[in-house]
Amino acid sequence: GNSVTQMEGPVTLSEEAFLTINCTYTATGYPSLFWYVQYPGEGLQLLLKATKADDKGSNKGFEATYRKETTSFHLEKGSVQVSDSAVYFCALSDQTGANNLFFGTGTRLTVIP
Amino acid sequence: NAGVTQTPKFQVLKTGQSMTLQCAQDMNHNSMYWYRQDPGMGLRLIYYSASEGTTDKGEVPNGYNVSRLNKREFSLRLESAAPSQTSVYFCASRMDRASNQPQHFGDGTRLSIL
């Protein structure tokens, strides 16, 4: 079946620190992979995506590389800001049936000045 | 440029009451989804509608019904609310079922059942 395992939080970092949030997946076929971000009181927003192996998704200084050999899609940012404080969700979209999204449990990031 | 609009934003119900959560999208998307978000569990799919006129069960459909009223609107109904249905509910839409298409989410409905 399809599943996403995400690094548990919460994660607290100082401003300008390096961020890594781990994400691994199990899927049938060749899924597309996504990172979504949820700011307080809001819905989820797409942060970045990768649709095939070795693709790198990037947006707003965040990056993640689709690693088929390790079934991973870790999120990284070189220098976090207070405004990056949010909950981050890793997700996959399978290639079978309805191509629905399967989400990880989310990682709450707090960045302190 | 509204995207996905959910109403209401907050609601408190008593056990046994019924309620319909409304969702509308203005992006001409074919597929629509209802999720619930619970602490420590991420988002779980309740029902989805791959295209106008079709609906299918997701991971946690028990206690819910849906209606795809037209291409824009997809409602979620709780016929007899239970405390276990206290959650944050999100509606989402996507252009179509292609796997690399992102879903667009509404801001959620926070539902408490006493």
Side-chain angles (χ1 to χ4, degrees), chain A residues 34-50:
Chain A
F34 305 86
W35 276 100
Y36 281 84
V37 59
Q38 184 181 31
Y39 298 103
E42 299 183 9
L44 279 70
Q45 303 173 24
L46 179 68
L47 180 59
L48 54 85
K49 69 176 183 181

Side-chain angles (χ1 to χ4, degrees), chain A residues 36 38 43 49 89 97 99, chain B residues 33 37 90 94 97 100 103 106:
Chain A
Y36 281 84
Q38 184 181 31
K49 69 176 183 181
F89 291 92
N99 290 326
Chain B
Y33 306 82
Q37 182 182 27
F90 287 99
R94 180 167 67 175
R97 290 168 54 171
N100 60 353
Q103 293 187 13

Side-chain angles (χ1 to χ4, degrees), chain B residues 48-59:
Chain B
Y48 65 97
S49 172
S51 60
E52 186 178 358
T54 69
T55 60
D56 286 286
K57 294 178 180 180
E59 183 184 354

Side-chain angles (χ1 to χ4, degrees), chain A residues 19-102:
Chain A
L19 169 71
T20 299
I21 300 177
N22 291 335
C23 172
T24 58
Y25 67 89
T26 302
T28 53
Y30 302 95
S32 292
L33 301 174
F34 305 86
W35 276 100
Y36 281 84
V37 59
Q38 184 181 31
Y39 298 103
E42 299 183 9
L44 279 70
Q45 303 173 24
L46 179 68
L47 180 59
L48 54 85
K49 69 176 183 181
T51 59
K52 62 183 187 295
D54 299 326
D55 266 4
K56 178 184 284 188
S58 61
N59 185 27
K60 299 180 181 180
F62 291 90
E63 293 183 339
T65 301
Y66 189 146
R67 300 288 187 198
K68 185 170 179 288
E69 63 277 13
T70 55
T71 62
S72 64
F73 192 54
H74 305 321
L75 182 68
E76 296 181 337
K77 186 175 185 183
S79 176
V80 294
Q81 305 301 311
V82 172
S83 58
D84 294 326
S85 298
V87 181
Y88 293 82
F89 291 92
C90 184
L92 71 83
S93 181
D94 68 9
Q95 293 263 15
T96 62
N99 290 326
N100 291 327
L101 280 178
F102 295 84

